[in-house]
Amino acid sequence: MLKKSSALIMALTIMLVLAACGGNNAVQNNNQATEKPAQTENTQKEKPAQKTTITYWTDDRHDQEYLKELITEFNASNSDNIEVELTVLSENFNQSVDIAFSGNQAPDLLRIKSANTGVFVKKGYLEPIDNYLTDEMKTKFDSLIIDEVNRFGGKLYSLPNTGLTLRLVYNQELFDKAGITAPPATMQELVDAAKKITEVGKSEGIYGFALNYKNPKGAFDRSIREILSLSGYQGLGYDLKTGKFDFAPYAEVVEYFKQMWADGSILPGAESLDIDPLRAQFAAGKIGMYMSFSTEPGVYQDQFPTDINWGGTLAPTINGEIKGKSEIVSAGTWFGISASSKHKEAAWKFMEYMYADDVMTTYHEKGFGIAVVPSISEKAKQPDIKGMEGFLVGQHDAMWPATPSITPEGANYGDVFFKYMLSGGDLNGLVKDLNQRYNDALDKAVEKGEAAITPLADFDPSKL
Amino acid sequence: MLKLRKLQENSLFLLPSVILTLALGIYPLVWVLRYMFYDYAGYGQELFVGLDNFRRLFRDDLFWQSVVNTLVFAGGKLVLTIPLSLLLAVILNASFRGRNFLRAVYFMPTVISTAVISVVFYILFNAYNGMVNQQLMKYGIISDPINWLGPDHAMLTVILVAAWGAVGNYMLLFLAGLQSIPRDLYESASIDGANAVQRFTRITVPMLGPIMQVIIMLAVIASLKGYESIMVMTEGGPIGKTEVMYLYLYKLLFPVSTGSPVEQQIGYGSAVGFATALIVGAITALYYYFSRKMNRVF
């Protein structure tokens, strides 16, 4: 009796502990599953008449209503009895995806962005789509297939639809008030304009410039990145010609930002400013200029409606010469098929439906994003949203080659340069230290096979 | 035989707790102890690197700065919270109308989500148009706005917010302690001519000794581990001025990516987690050693 009970208790304990620890196994199983050909449902053959339900997860919220319309239409019209279920996640998308994959509850389709595509590929979450592409699609997207953006290890995982352009956002009324006749074309002009606006507006709580410095890297990645790419340098501190990090050009721009801070041209409390409180102050006419993505026209239409006369224009360059192209960001990817999906064919059918010309054209025309596919941008009408005209893709916009994604030891460049802006220091020493740490991390990533460096000795940013 | 059966029955009752502790406490701990010696990003290769993560830890200025910030934050929070919560508890232990209502009011911040509290204070302390500056200027206390969340004042601000959120909780614990002190002690003291201050210093404080020791220990641990309100209000900034240990650890394990991707650093994060646990444990042990006299009630 005693033995039986003890054995029962022991068995129960072991079972439960193993079950609790099963998550890790699930991850391993998942990773294995990505290496093997995906298992089709040969054990449970579906009848053609049976409904196939596929799930799509996205963290985009701005296009929700239109997306729901499209899904309703697809569900009603497709001849394969496929039904798409939409899940919109607001926060922690990447973590939710991680949990779903480790628990074998991953969606069939994912919204993937440049910030997570490479990581998702490495984690084995995504299915290559090379075998699904039609010749027509290959032609349509040919110029937009970029290594380390949507193609990894020679396999294609997603296709582009829209991208984000970066611009200087300015308040025309404050320009007029300060006697500024044209948006600044050089960094010195930007510093001067910010100073002038502050001089004429400070008594009313108006300041020349602001950025969301609560997250310095986030602030610089929407401003200095653009100034550098237009000036002919890669915007995240990477030198495409040498295949190494070099923050010297970055430091040159930081000096001007530091000057604006010293001049008192920055909105007080910008050290703790998030992007939405910044937008709220801009909408209230309290900020002369800031830099951001092509999401802003939509923001000022819906989120912070404003009557001020504002616009978007090309960012200034270091010395007024445009030697490069303004980088179009988040442009290479849209949909990705889950490697663990049991309905990859059905997922592709919905993906194909979404990549149709009329859908992509409407995306652009409704202002959900700026079309980067040439055949779409050529024929799509301008979105009818105030301010959008300043953000449209033009002759000075282009996608740049991808840069290796690495995480250095110690502080990132955003924190380092922001600290310099506030408290000074030896800028050359800081650049040297950043170069050292970033290149060390790059070497390690190459050694581990997580990054590939291909120096582009003949790279010419003006020819992008 | 009967004893054995009893033992089996008891074991069965204990089983759920044992299983949960093993699965949710011991297993993750073992997992972390293993990954301290690896270079691992949460996927892909797990490279054994020996003591590399600890070598990196010793030369990691950001980590040591976060240790200093944690001590400042915890010290500041304790200095404000403990005396204030004891004072409130003593006042609210007396009999007067509205006592229960006030207890509920002071306890309320403990119930509200830290994230919500922090967002509200972020708005109130806004340098540009926050209500705190507006009120201080309205009454002529300050002439220029104070940059509450700027490099010079951010630590003070997050300490004030943390203290505001914690006072009610410790007040309640002190109240429980106060109610365990026999009434007749106070009555005897009053007959002997002791005034209110003497009753407080000679009876209340010594009699509270054992429970106070535990309350302060809980407060020390909570202060050393607190980071939620800082994460919402300043994200550890500006320029690292409010980066505390557990926030630094959180960012290593769950990096927030804006624009370019940032990878999780599970290996190094585990080493940092181990080091922070050691530091918190050591400080708690030291406190317990030096406060052992509080346990003696005569």
Side-chain angles (χ1 to χ4, degrees):
Chain A
M1 177 68 201
L2 172 65
K3 276 186 182 175
K4 272 187 185 174
S5 307
S6 301
L8 183 69
I9 290 168
M10 188 65 77
L12 268 171
T13 309
I14 291 166
M15 270 168 59
L16 283 162
V17 171
L18 284 176
C21 306
N24 209 25
N25 295 342
V27 178
Q28 288 165 359
N29 293 344
N30 240 328
N31 289 342
Q32 287 162 6
T34 60
E35 289 159 20
K36 289 183 289 188
Q39 289 181 353
T40 50
E41 299 174 334
N42 48 10
T43 48
Q44 310 173 346
K45 278 220 162 172
E46 283 187 358
K47 296 170 190 170
Q50 210 171 37
K51 189 188 288 179
T52 305
T53 304
I54 58 166
T55 48
Y56 172 51
W57 284 13
T58 178
D59 59 341
D60 282 344
R61 300 182 293 285
H62 66 295
D63 62 346
Q64 244 183 97
E65 294 311 312
Y66 180 52
L67 190 59
K68 282 175 187 168
E69 278 175 38
L70 289 168
I71 287 172
T72 306
E73 188 193 311
F74 176 81
N75 290 348
S77 64
N78 79 83
S79 56
D80 300 285
N81 206 359
I82 299 165
E83 186 170 279
V84 179
E85 281 181 0
L86 172 69
T87 302
V88 180
L89 297 159
S90 56
E91 300 297 335
N92 299 327
F93 181 75
N94 293 350
Q95 283 159 29
S96 304
V97 169
D98 282 337
I99 292 164
F101 272 93
S102 60
N104 279 333
Q105 294 177 323
D108 301 281
L109 276 166
L110 290 159
R111 166 67 163 116
I112 52 175
K113 295 179 176 176
S114 45
N116 58 22
T117 308
V119 174
F120 284 178
V121 169
K122 285 178 194 170
K123 289 183 178 182
Y125 292 174
L126 300 178
E127 180 75 7
I129 56 171
D130 303 78
N131 297 336
Y132 296 108
L133 281 186
T134 59
D135 289 341
E136 186 196 341
M137 284 180 105
K138 281 177 187 167
T139 310
K140 183 172 162 182
F141 294 102
D142 182 51
S143 62
L144 299 159
I145 307 299
I146 300 175
D147 282 324
E148 303 298 314
V149 172
N150 45 29
R151 185 171 55 195
F152 297 84
K155 291 175 180 169
L156 186 66
Y157 290 89
S158 187
L159 295 165
N161 172 18
T162 58
L164 297 170
T165 53
L166 276 154
R167 296 288 187 263
L168 175 78
V169 185
Y170 64 95
N171 180 326
Q172 184 60 55
E173 292 159 28
L174 296 181
F175 270 19
D176 297 341
K177 196 174 176 176
I180 299 162
T181 51
T186 69
M187 282 309 295
Q188 190 54 54
E189 284 175 17
L190 179 76
V191 172
D192 296 342
K195 199 173 178 178
K196 278 181 193 168
I197 292 167
T198 309
E199 279 165 4
V200 298
K202 195 175 176 178
S203 58
E204 300 165 59
I206 292 165
Y207 290 82
F209 193 79
L211 275 174
N212 53 322
Y213 285 120
K214 187 177 180 181
N215 178 342
K217 186 174 174 295
F220 291 149
D221 284 357
R222 71 174 70 224
S223 56
I224 294 182
R225 179 180 193 172
E226 194 61 8
I227 293 160
L228 285 172
S229 64
L230 259 181
S231 303
Y233 302 101
Q234 199 281 331
L236 301 171
Y238 184 73
D239 186 342
L240 288 152
K241 288 183 179 180
T242 60
K244 292 275 177 202
F245 280 91
D246 178 10
F247 286 96
Y250 213 105
E252 202 179 335
V253 179
V254 167
E255 285 284 27
Y256 291 101
F257 277 63
K258 186 174 189 286
Q259 188 57 51
M260 280 195 280
W261 202 279
D263 290 345
S265 308
I266 311 283
L267 188 84
E271 304 97 319
S272 56
L273 206 57
D274 272 321
I275 188 65
D276 276 351
L278 184 155
R279 286 163 169 162
Q281 294 306 332
F282 183 79
K286 301 292 185 186
I287 297 170
M289 299 173 286
Y290 73 104
M291 292 183 199
S292 196
F293 302 97
S294 47
T295 45
E296 304 312 272
V299 165
Y300 294 120
Q301 180 176 267
D302 302 323
Q303 204 177 338
F304 300 106
T306 180
D307 296 327
I308 64 166
N309 180 13
W310 70 277
T313 187
L314 275 182
T317 58
I318 295 172
N319 58 6
E321 278 183 81
I322 296 179
K323 293 179 182 173
K325 289 282 165 77
S326 172
E327 186 179 7
I328 303 170
V329 296
S330 298
T333 55
W334 191 20
F335 280 84
I337 298 177
S338 160
S340 61
S341 168
K342 293 187 173 78
H343 308 291
K344 293 190 180 76
E345 289 285 346
W348 169 254
K349 283 197 168 127
F350 176 62
M351 198 165 152
E352 201 174 20
Y353 166 84
M354 290 298 287
Y355 279 106
D357 278 17
D358 57 338
V359 172
M360 292 171 80
T361 305
T362 311
Y363 249 84
H364 177 91
E365 290 175 351
K366 282 181 177 277
F368 296 137
I370 296 180
V372 294
V373 181
S375 59
I376 303 298
S377 51
E378 279 164 17
K379 65 182 176 188
K381 294 189 199 87
Q382 280 199 17
D384 185 24
I385 296 179
K386 184 179 180 295
M388 185 57 97
E389 61 281 2
F391 289 86
L392 297 175
V393 174
Q395 59 169 341
H396 294 298
D397 296 284
M399 282 169 68
W400 280 61
T403 58
S405 149
I406 54 113
T407 308
E409 279 188 23
N412 65 50
Y413 58 81
D415 290 337
V416 169
F417 284 128
F418 187 56
K419 192 172 182 179
Y420 170 75
M421 273 173 57
L422 262 61
S423 51
D426 170 17
L427 189 58
N428 288 336
L430 294 175
V431 167
K432 203 174 163 185
D433 174 62
L434 277 170
N435 289 350
Q436 180 74 49
R437 289 190 291 110
Y438 271 78
N439 286 321
D440 283 352
L442 183 59
D443 292 343
K444 268 187 193 169
V446 171
E447 207 177 298
K448 286 200 296 184
E450 288 173 357
I453 303 175
T454 316
L456 307 168
D458 300 327
F459 176 72
D460 181 353
S462 64
K463 293 198 167 71
L464 280 168
Chain B
M1 189 67 200
L2 198 68
K3 268 189 178 179
L4 276 172
R5 182 168 295 175
K6 195 78 185 153
L7 188 70
Q8 283 175 48
E9 281 173 11
N10 293 346
S11 305
L12 263 178
F13 280 112
L14 285 172
L15 201 60
S17 303
V18 170
I19 289 166
L20 284 172
T21 307
L22 281 172
L24 304 175
I26 307 299
Y27 170 70
L29 193 67
V30 172
W31 191 89
V32 165
L33 290 172
R34 174 176 174 261
Y35 278 113
M36 289 188 319
F37 304 103
Y38 282 82
D39 175 6
Y40 182 50
Y43 61 89
Q45 297 175 70
E46 298 176 12
L47 281 178
F48 181 77
V49 291
L51 294 172
D52 270 9
N53 285 329
F54 291 95
R55 287 191 196 99
R56 178 178 164 186
L57 184 81
F58 281 106
R59 64 170 185 265
D60 186 350
D61 295 340
L62 295 179
F63 172 70
W64 295 110
Q65 183 58 53
S66 78
V67 174
V68 173
N69 288 343
T70 304
L71 296 175
V72 173
F73 172 74
K77 185 181 166 185
L78 288 169
V79 164
L80 281 175
T81 308
I82 299 299
L84 204 58
S85 52
L86 178 59
L87 183 70
L88 277 174
V90 170
I91 293 168
L92 295 177
N93 196 38
S95 295
F96 61 90
R97 191 187 290 272
R99 182 179 71 167
N100 291 339
F101 170 74
L102 283 174
R103 282 181 187 180
V105 166
Y106 285 115
F107 186 68
M108 195 66 77
T110 312
V111 182
I112 305 168
S113 146
T114 309
V116 173
I117 288 171
S118 308
V119 169
V120 171
F121 275 107
Y122 173 78
I123 295 164
L124 291 177
F125 279 109
N126 186 330
Y128 180 70
N129 60 351
M131 197 193 285
V132 173
N133 273 343
Q134 284 178 355
Q135 291 303 309
L136 291 173
M137 286 165 81
K138 184 179 167 184
Y139 294 108
I141 298 165
I142 55 171
S143 53
D144 289 318
I146 293 174
N147 193 355
W148 290 104
L149 296 169
D152 298 334
H153 301 98
M155 183 55 93
L156 172 70
T157 308
V158 295
I159 287 171
L160 287 173
V161 174
W164 182 86
V167 160
N169 190 30
Y170 299 118
M171 175 200 78
L172 208 70
L173 295 171
F174 278 127
L175 264 174
L178 287 170
Q179 282 159 10
S180 69
I181 300 172
R183 282 253 160 265
D184 49 2
L185 283 178
Y186 290 108
E187 286 161 13
S188 312
S190 297
I191 292 163
D192 290 342
N195 61 27
V197 174
Q198 286 171 321
R199 287 199 299 273
F200 176 73
T201 53
R202 305 290 170 86
I203 298 170
T204 307
V205 173
M207 291 298 286
L208 267 183
I211 197 163
M212 199 187 280
Q213 186 195 23
V214 174
I215 291 170
I216 295 175
M217 187 188 74
L218 291 173
V220 167
I221 295 171
S223 305
L224 291 169
K225 290 172 73 176
Y227 70 94
E228 300 88 341
S229 63
I230 297 175
M231 188 161 78
V232 175
M233 288 175 72
T234 65
E235 280 184 29
I239 57 175
K241 294 280 183 181
T242 57
E243 187 93 275
V244 289
M245 282 190 304
Y246 275 79
L247 180 58
Y248 183 60
L249 173 61
Y250 181 89
K251 285 177 178 175
L252 286 170
L253 296 175
F254 308 105
V256 179
S257 169
T258 52
S260 54
V262 179
E263 285 189 341
Q264 289 171 289
Q265 299 181 64
I266 301 286
Y268 184 57
S270 299
V272 170
F274 180 72
T276 50
L278 277 185
I279 291 167
V280 173
I283 292 170
T284 310
L286 278 172
Y287 160 77
Y288 217 76
Y289 176 76
F290 286 112
S291 67
R292 63 193 186 283
K293 281 186 181 171
M294 291 169 83
N295 235 332
R296 295 179 198 160
V297 179
F298 299 102

PDB file of all heavy atoms in Angstrom, chain A residues 16-17 31 48 70-71 107 130 230 252-253 301 306 311 329 337 343 351 356 365 387 406 449 458:
ATOM      1  N   LEU A  16       4.261  16.281 -13.473  1.00  0.00           N
ATOM      2  CA  LEU A  16       3.929  17.697 -13.423  1.00  0.00           C
ATOM      3  C   LEU A  16       5.145  18.584 -13.645  1.00  0.00           C
ATOM      4  O   LEU A  16       5.086  19.593 -14.327  1.00  0.00           O
ATOM      5  CB  LEU A  16       3.268  18.042 -12.082  1.00  0.00           C
ATOM      6  CG  LEU A  16       1.804  17.606 -12.009  1.00  0.00           C
ATOM      7  CD1 LEU A  16       1.329  17.555 -10.573  1.00  0.00           C
ATOM      8  CD2 LEU A  16       0.931  18.566 -12.810  1.00  0.00           C
ATOM      9  N   VAL A  17       6.280  18.196 -13.045  1.00  0.00           N
ATOM     10  CA  VAL A  17       7.504  18.986 -13.238  1.00  0.00           C
ATOM     11  C   VAL A  17       7.911  18.965 -14.704  1.00  0.00           C
ATOM     12  O   VAL A  17       8.249  19.990 -15.289  1.00  0.00           O
ATOM     13  CB  VAL A  17       8.645  18.467 -12.332  1.00  0.00           C
ATOM     14  CG1 VAL A  17       9.962  19.127 -12.692  1.00  0.00           C
ATOM     15  CG2 VAL A  17       8.322  18.746 -10.867  1.00  0.00           C
ATOM     16  N   ASN A  31      12.286  24.657 -33.384  1.00  0.00           N
ATOM     17  CA  ASN A  31      13.487  24.891 -34.177  1.00  0.00           C
ATOM     18  C   ASN A  31      13.769  23.709 -35.100  1.00  0.00           C
ATOM     19  O   ASN A  31      14.205  23.877 -36.221  1.00  0.00           O
ATOM     20  CB  ASN A  31      14.689  25.143 -33.261  1.00  0.00           C
ATOM     21  CG  ASN A  31      14.557  26.503 -32.588  1.00  0.00           C
ATOM     22  OD1 ASN A  31      13.783  27.331 -33.052  1.00  0.00           O
ATOM     23  ND2 ASN A  31      15.277  26.711 -31.513  1.00  0.00           N
ATOM     24  N   PRO A  48     -12.044  19.076 -49.276  1.00  0.00           N
ATOM     25  CA  PRO A  48     -11.969  20.383 -49.944  1.00  0.00           C
ATOM     26  C   PRO A  48     -13.056  21.335 -49.478  1.00  0.00           C
ATOM     27  O   PRO A  48     -12.857  22.534 -49.466  1.00  0.00           O
ATOM     28  CB  PRO A  48     -12.139  20.043 -51.420  1.00  0.00           C
ATOM     29  CG  PRO A  48     -11.786  18.594 -51.532  1.00  0.00           C
ATOM     30  CD  PRO A  48     -12.082  17.969 -50.218  1.00  0.00           C
ATOM     31  N   LEU A  70     -10.892  44.272 -45.885  1.00  0.00           N
ATOM     32  CA  LEU A  70     -10.232  43.379 -46.846  1.00  0.00           C
ATOM     33  C   LEU A  70     -10.416  41.916 -46.449  1.00  0.00           C
ATOM     34  O   LEU A  70     -10.686  41.054 -47.301  1.00  0.00           O
ATOM     35  CB  LEU A  70      -8.729  43.692 -46.920  1.00  0.00           C
ATOM     36  CG  LEU A  70      -8.343  45.006 -47.598  1.00  0.00           C
ATOM     37  CD1 LEU A  70      -6.881  45.341 -47.341  1.00  0.00           C
ATOM     38  CD2 LEU A  70      -8.597  44.924 -49.104  1.00  0.00           C
ATOM     39  N   ILE A  71     -10.266  41.653 -45.149  1.00  0.00           N
ATOM     40  CA  ILE A  71     -10.395  40.270 -44.674  1.00  0.00           C
ATOM     41  C   ILE A  71     -11.826  39.767 -44.873  1.00  0.00           C
ATOM     42  O   ILE A  71     -12.038  38.636 -45.321  1.00  0.00           O
ATOM     43  CB  ILE A  71      -9.955  40.164 -43.191  1.00  0.00           C
ATOM     44  CG1 ILE A  71      -8.424  40.295 -43.107  1.00  0.00           C
ATOM     45  CG2 ILE A  71     -10.409  38.849 -42.560  1.00  0.00           C
ATOM     46  CD1 ILE A  71      -7.869  40.400 -41.708  1.00  0.00           C
ATOM     47  N   PRO A 107       0.648  32.015 -34.854  1.00  0.00           N
ATOM     48  CA  PRO A 107      -0.298  32.311 -35.931  1.00  0.00           C
ATOM     49  C   PRO A 107       0.247  31.791 -37.263  1.00  0.00           C
ATOM     50  O   PRO A 107       1.425  31.443 -37.367  1.00  0.00           O
ATOM     51  CB  PRO A 107      -0.361  33.829 -35.919  1.00  0.00           C
ATOM     52  CG  PRO A 107       0.963  34.252 -35.389  1.00  0.00           C
ATOM     53  CD  PRO A 107       1.358  33.200 -34.394  1.00  0.00           C
ATOM     54  N   ASP A 130      10.032  31.688 -51.554  1.00  0.00           N
ATOM     55  CA  ASP A 130      10.546  31.610 -52.932  1.00  0.00           C
ATOM     56  C   ASP A 130       9.694  30.702 -53.814  1.00  0.00           C
ATOM     57  O   ASP A 130       9.408  31.030 -54.973  1.00  0.00           O
ATOM     58  CB  ASP A 130      11.993  31.090 -52.929  1.00  0.00           C
ATOM     59  CG  ASP A 130      12.908  31.960 -52.088  1.00  0.00           C
ATOM     60  OD1 ASP A 130      12.860  31.814 -50.839  1.00  0.00           O
ATOM     61  OD2 ASP A 130      13.647  32.770 -52.658  1.00  0.00           O
ATOM     62  N   LEU A 230      21.066  61.730 -46.135  1.00  0.00           N
ATOM     63  CA  LEU A 230      21.001  62.756 -47.189  1.00  0.00           C
ATOM     64  C   LEU A 230      22.385  63.348 -47.453  1.00  0.00           C
ATOM     65  O   LEU A 230      22.697  63.756 -48.566  1.00  0.00           O
ATOM     66  CB  LEU A 230      20.067  63.889 -46.755  1.00  0.00           C
ATOM     67  CG  LEU A 230      18.651  63.897 -47.328  1.00  0.00           C
ATOM     68  CD1 LEU A 230      17.896  65.095 -46.807  1.00  0.00           C
ATOM     69  CD2 LEU A 230      18.632  63.902 -48.852  1.00  0.00           C
ATOM     70  N   GLU A 252      29.809  64.703 -35.936  1.00  0.00           N
ATOM     71  CA  GLU A 252      29.768  66.029 -36.565  1.00  0.00           C
ATOM     72  C   GLU A 252      28.359  66.630 -36.444  1.00  0.00           C
ATOM     73  O   GLU A 252      28.203  67.820 -36.145  1.00  0.00           O
ATOM     74  CB  GLU A 252      30.170  65.874 -38.048  1.00  0.00           C
ATOM     75  CG  GLU A 252      30.665  67.148 -38.681  1.00  0.00           C
ATOM     76  CD  GLU A 252      31.071  66.946 -40.132  1.00  0.00           C
ATOM     77  OE1 GLU A 252      31.414  65.797 -40.525  1.00  0.00           O
ATOM     78  OE2 GLU A 252      31.014  67.934 -40.875  1.00  0.00           O
ATOM     79  N   VAL A 253      27.352  65.803 -36.666  1.00  0.00           N
ATOM     80  CA  VAL A 253      25.963  66.279 -36.572  1.00  0.00           C
ATOM     81  C   VAL A 253      25.586  66.542 -35.112  1.00  0.00           C
ATOM     82  O   VAL A 253      24.891  67.514 -34.797  1.00  0.00           O
ATOM     83  CB  VAL A 253      24.988  65.252 -37.215  1.00  0.00           C
ATOM     84  CG1 VAL A 253      23.551  65.727 -37.102  1.00  0.00           C
ATOM     85  CG2 VAL A 253      25.352  65.011 -38.675  1.00  0.00           C
ATOM     86  N   GLN A 301      -4.080  64.232 -38.173  1.00  0.00           N
ATOM     87  CA  GLN A 301      -5.468  64.160 -38.644  1.00  0.00           C
ATOM     88  C   GLN A 301      -6.354  63.511 -37.574  1.00  0.00           C
ATOM     89  O   GLN A 301      -7.454  63.986 -37.309  1.00  0.00           O
ATOM     90  CB  GLN A 301      -5.549  63.357 -39.944  1.00  0.00           C
ATOM     91  CG  GLN A 301      -6.990  63.246 -40.470  1.00  0.00           C
ATOM     92  CD  GLN A 301      -7.035  62.543 -41.804  1.00  0.00           C
ATOM     93  OE1 GLN A 301      -7.009  63.191 -42.842  1.00  0.00           O
ATOM     94  NE2 GLN A 301      -7.102  61.215 -41.779  1.00  0.00           N
ATOM     95  N   THR A 306      -5.132  69.315 -35.440  1.00  0.00           N
ATOM     96  CA  THR A 306      -4.577  70.658 -35.239  1.00  0.00           C
ATOM     97  C   THR A 306      -4.950  71.580 -36.393  1.00  0.00           C
ATOM     98  O   THR A 306      -5.141  71.129 -37.522  1.00  0.00           O
ATOM     99  CB  THR A 306      -3.043  70.595 -35.104  1.00  0.00           C
ATOM    100  OG1 THR A 306      -2.550  71.906 -34.906  1.00  0.00           O
ATOM    101  CG2 THR A 306      -2.364  69.975 -36.315  1.00  0.00           C
ATOM    102  N   GLY A 311       4.094  71.610 -42.081  1.00  0.00           N
ATOM    103  CA  GLY A 311       4.484  70.853 -43.271  1.00  0.00           C
ATOM    104  C   GLY A 311       5.674  69.957 -42.992  1.00  0.00           C
ATOM    105  O   GLY A 311       6.292  70.029 -41.930  1.00  0.00           O
ATOM    106  N   VAL A 329      12.636  53.941 -44.546  1.00  0.00           N
ATOM    107  CA  VAL A 329      12.819  52.897 -43.519  1.00  0.00           C
ATOM    108  C   VAL A 329      11.581  52.002 -43.420  1.00  0.00           C
ATOM    109  O   VAL A 329      10.491  52.362 -43.874  1.00  0.00           O
ATOM    110  CB  VAL A 329      13.150  53.517 -42.135  1.00  0.00           C
ATOM    111  CG1 VAL A 329      14.474  54.242 -42.194  1.00  0.00           C
ATOM    112  CG2 VAL A 329      12.057  54.441 -41.654  1.00  0.00           C
ATOM    113  N   ILE A 337       5.051  34.246 -43.519  1.00  0.00           N
ATOM    114  CA  ILE A 337       4.320  33.003 -43.206  1.00  0.00           C
ATOM    115  C   ILE A 337       5.057  32.270 -42.099  1.00  0.00           C
ATOM    116  O   ILE A 337       6.279  32.153 -42.117  1.00  0.00           O
ATOM    117  CB  ILE A 337       4.202  32.099 -44.459  1.00  0.00           C
ATOM    118  CG1 ILE A 337       3.405  32.813 -45.554  1.00  0.00           C
ATOM    119  CG2 ILE A 337       3.547  30.757 -44.110  1.00  0.00           C
ATOM    120  CD1 ILE A 337       3.286  32.040 -46.852  1.00  0.00           C
ATOM    121  N   HIS A 343      -1.118  25.463 -42.454  1.00  0.00           N
ATOM    122  CA  HIS A 343      -1.880  25.885 -43.636  1.00  0.00           C
ATOM    123  C   HIS A 343      -1.083  26.907 -44.444  1.00  0.00           C
ATOM    124  O   HIS A 343      -1.556  28.009 -44.722  1.00  0.00           O
ATOM    125  CB  HIS A 343      -3.210  26.509 -43.195  1.00  0.00           C
ATOM    126  CG  HIS A 343      -4.001  25.648 -42.267  1.00  0.00           C
ATOM    127  ND1 HIS A 343      -4.600  24.472 -42.664  1.00  0.00           N
ATOM    128  CD2 HIS A 343      -4.273  25.789 -40.954  1.00  0.00           C
ATOM    129  CE1 HIS A 343      -5.218  23.923 -41.618  1.00  0.00           C
ATOM    130  NE2 HIS A 343      -5.029  24.706 -40.572  1.00  0.00           N
ATOM    131  N   MET A 351      -1.944  36.066 -48.512  1.00  0.00           N
ATOM    132  CA  MET A 351      -0.810  36.987 -48.713  1.00  0.00           C
ATOM    133  C   MET A 351      -0.821  37.523 -50.154  1.00  0.00           C
ATOM    134  O   MET A 351      -0.630  38.719 -50.391  1.00  0.00           O
ATOM    135  CB  MET A 351       0.477  36.204 -48.435  1.00  0.00           C
ATOM    136  CG  MET A 351       1.686  37.043 -48.168  1.00  0.00           C
ATOM    137  SD  MET A 351       2.999  36.010 -47.443  1.00  0.00           S
ATOM    138  CE  MET A 351       4.433  36.913 -48.017  1.00  0.00           C
ATOM    139  N   ALA A 356      -1.994  42.319 -54.024  1.00  0.00           N
ATOM    140  CA  ALA A 356      -2.572  42.694 -55.314  1.00  0.00           C
ATOM    141  C   ALA A 356      -2.455  44.205 -55.509  1.00  0.00           C
ATOM    142  O   ALA A 356      -2.469  44.964 -54.532  1.00  0.00           O
ATOM    143  CB  ALA A 356      -4.034  42.269 -55.361  1.00  0.00           C
ATOM    144  N   GLU A 365      -3.067  55.406 -51.118  1.00  0.00           N
ATOM    145  CA  GLU A 365      -4.016  56.516 -51.308  1.00  0.00           C
ATOM    146  C   GLU A 365      -4.725  56.896 -50.021  1.00  0.00           C
ATOM    147  O   GLU A 365      -5.121  58.038 -49.827  1.00  0.00           O
ATOM    148  CB  GLU A 365      -5.034  56.153 -52.407  1.00  0.00           C
ATOM    149  CG  GLU A 365      -4.373  56.136 -53.785  1.00  0.00           C
ATOM    150  CD  GLU A 365      -5.304  55.667 -54.896  1.00  0.00           C
ATOM    151  OE1 GLU A 365      -6.413  55.185 -54.568  1.00  0.00           O
ATOM    152  OE2 GLU A 365      -4.917  55.773 -56.070  1.00  0.00           O
ATOM    153  N   GLY A 387      -0.674  67.651 -45.204  1.00  0.00           N
ATOM    154  CA  GLY A 387       0.733  67.513 -44.838  1.00  0.00           C
ATOM    155  C   GLY A 387       1.434  66.348 -45.509  1.00  0.00           C
ATOM    156  O   GLY A 387       2.664  66.293 -45.537  1.00  0.00           O
ATOM    157  N   ILE A 406      23.746  44.527 -34.606  1.00  0.00           N
ATOM    158  CA  ILE A 406      24.578  44.022 -33.499  1.00  0.00           C
ATOM    159  C   ILE A 406      24.263  44.791 -32.218  1.00  0.00           C
ATOM    160  O   ILE A 406      23.769  45.899 -32.261  1.00  0.00           O
ATOM    161  CB  ILE A 406      26.085  44.118 -33.824  1.00  0.00           C
ATOM    162  CG1 ILE A 406      26.452  45.554 -34.232  1.00  0.00           C
ATOM    163  CG2 ILE A 406      26.516  43.159 -34.894  1.00  0.00           C
ATOM    164  CD1 ILE A 406      27.330  46.214 -33.277  1.00  0.00           C
ATOM    165  N   GLY A 449      28.738  33.682 -36.873  1.00  0.00           N
ATOM    166  CA  GLY A 449      27.923  33.424 -38.064  1.00  0.00           C
ATOM    167  C   GLY A 449      26.586  34.124 -38.016  1.00  0.00           C
ATOM    168  O   GLY A 449      25.653  33.776 -38.740  1.00  0.00           O
ATOM    169  N   ASP A 458      32.815  50.299 -53.869  1.00  0.00           N
ATOM    170  CA  ASP A 458      32.366  51.250 -54.904  1.00  0.00           C
ATOM    171  C   ASP A 458      31.020  51.882 -54.566  1.00  0.00           C
ATOM    172  O   ASP A 458      30.384  52.503 -55.417  1.00  0.00           O
ATOM    173  CB  ASP A 458      32.247  50.522 -56.256  1.00  0.00           C
ATOM    174  CG  ASP A 458      33.582  49.936 -56.677  1.00  0.00           C
ATOM    175  OD1 ASP A 458      34.613  50.563 -56.341  1.00  0.00           O
ATOM    176  OD2 ASP A 458      33.595  48.852 -57.292  1.00  0.00           O
TER     177      ASP A 458
END
